[in-house]
Amino acid sequence: MSAATKEILGRVRQMIPPMLEKFHKGQLGRVGVIGGSEDYTGAPYFSAMASARLGCDMSHVICTPTAAAVIKTYSPNLMVHPLMRSSPSPDSIPAAADADPTQVASRIIALLDRLHVLVIGPGLGRDPLMQETCARVIKAARERSMPMVLDADALLLVQKDPGLVKGYELAVLTPNVVEFGRLTKALGVDEMVREAQETAGEEAKVEALAKTLGGVMVLQKGREDRLSDGKKTLTVDLQGGKKRSGGQGDTLTGSIATFLGWRKAYLDGLWETGGGLKEEELLALAVFGGSAVTRECSRLAFAEKGRSLQASDLTEEVHTAFMNLFAEVDSEAGGARL
């Protein structure tokens, strides 16, 4: 890894809570993943399991009833809430509470006080009722100053209504190359940075997009991951795998969410932190840490599976990736890459 990456990971390490007997259930992170529909059940599972395997205490999935029945069979370790609803078919007569996005959202919003971080988008799809429901949940989470990670089809909400997250510095967007292109085009960023790109390189667009959104953290996934709040841009240059199978971004969202949960634990002073980190840098460090763990998962899984690699292979590497990068923060650092 580069010297810059090594230095940043050293700072990330400071925000990782040690394993202490005094902690109780839930203090080291409570993550809720909103997504999962009839067609997409794997994505929310991969996101929630990544958060759990990395060290989040409690991982929830909030999805449709049809998705919940499937996701519950994947693992007994996740808490699955069948609270989302999709648009009714033309020949059905749903209950009024199941067709009104405000009423559907109200049941999800009631859960927010039990959570520290939201991930919105894995397996969400483009169903109008689900999209409208999530828009209401985003507004409610923002009112509660809750960190949130938006990915996949949740990014369509930002594309259509940037005001949902504009100016909200606790929002993290994780677009892939196609989603990033849609966002920059929809928000007029392409023209804005054309001249800047000629002189400032590839960092210009991600920085401009974050700035256009008023300080939202944008993580541009690619050969190298770039993250920016419009003021400062960091590059995660750790080697990843070469297989581009679907679902790897879900490990990323879950990993970032756990680091954001640890951010709260750090700010709450749950252990003797030494106070070496400033509050304003913690969100970027959390996103950097989540990206680094995911890239190491990808590298490890590809080394073993090669071209047969699937998203589930990353899930199995989360703990090893964490140990490779950070070792046990409360014991000997033998074997750590730092």
Side-chain angles (χ1 to χ4, degrees), residues 130-335:
M130 295 181 71
Q131 289 269 317
E132 292 172 24
T133 298
C134 284
R136 287 158 173 77
V137 174
I138 289 170
K139 291 177 182 178
R142 183 171 180 172
E143 290 170 358
R144 290 162 172 77
S145 298
M146 177 178 290
M148 64 182 88
V149 183
L150 275 63
D151 187 45
D153 287 318
L155 297 174
L156 285 176
L157 291 167
V158 178
Q159 184 178 322
K160 295 175 182 176
D161 182 9
L164 279 174
V165 298
K166 190 171 185 178
Y168 187 52
E169 296 181 352
L170 293 179
V172 180
L173 311 185
T174 59
N176 60 26
V177 62
V178 175
E179 294 159 344
F180 186 81
R182 290 174 183 156
L183 284 169
T184 56
K185 182 177 180 180
L187 275 67
V189 172
D190 290 340
E191 292 295 327
M192 186 188 310
V193 301
R194 182 163 294 171
E195 292 185 6
Q197 271 202 299
E198 292 177 358
T199 57
E202 296 181 7
E203 294 182 358
K205 269 194 177 182
V206 64
E207 189 169 307
L209 178 58
K211 190 177 297 184
T212 300
L213 288 170
V216 167
M217 180 64 68
V218 178
L219 172 65
Q220 180 190 21
K221 297 179 288 193
R223 186 179 65 177
E224 297 177 331
D225 291 348
R226 291 183 172 82
L227 56 126
S228 179
D229 60 0
K231 302 173 185 176
K232 184 175 182 180
T233 303
L234 301 174
T235 299
V236 187
D237 58 7
L238 288 170
Q239 180 184 353
K242 297 179 180 179
K243 178 68 183 293
R244 301 293 181 259
S245 59
Q248 296 184 59
D250 301 312
T251 295
L252 174 66
T253 58
S255 297
I256 291 174
T258 290
F259 274 100
L260 289 172
W262 291 342
R263 168 187 175 274
K264 182 181 187 305
Y266 184 95
L267 291 174
D268 288 345
L270 295 187
W271 74 97
E272 294 295 331
T273 65
L277 302 176
K278 299 177 182 178
E279 181 174 354
E280 55 266 28
E281 69 177 315
L282 291 177
L283 189 124
L285 291 177
V287 176
F288 195 100
S291 171
V293 167
T294 303
R295 295 181 73 87
E296 178 68 355
C297 286
S298 177
R299 184 189 71 82
L300 291 168
F302 183 74
E304 180 178 353
K305 302 291 186 178
R307 65 178 64 243
S308 73
L309 180 148
Q310 297 297 308
S312 56
D313 297 317
L314 270 68
T315 305
E316 301 304 316
E317 300 291 351
V318 171
H319 178 65
T320 302
F322 172 82
M323 293 293 289
N324 285 353
L325 294 172
F326 304 109
E328 286 288 355
V329 297
D330 55 341
S331 66
E332 294 296 324

Side-chain angles (χ1 to χ4, degrees), residues 27-57:
Q27 285 187 306
L28 300 190
R30 303 196 294 266
V31 171
V33 178
I34 302 179
S37 53
E38 184 175 6
D39 293 334
Y40 307 110
T41 58
Y45 165 78
F46 293 135
S47 180
M49 279 303 296
S51 74
R53 288 288 178 88
L54 187 54
C56 170
D57 280 352

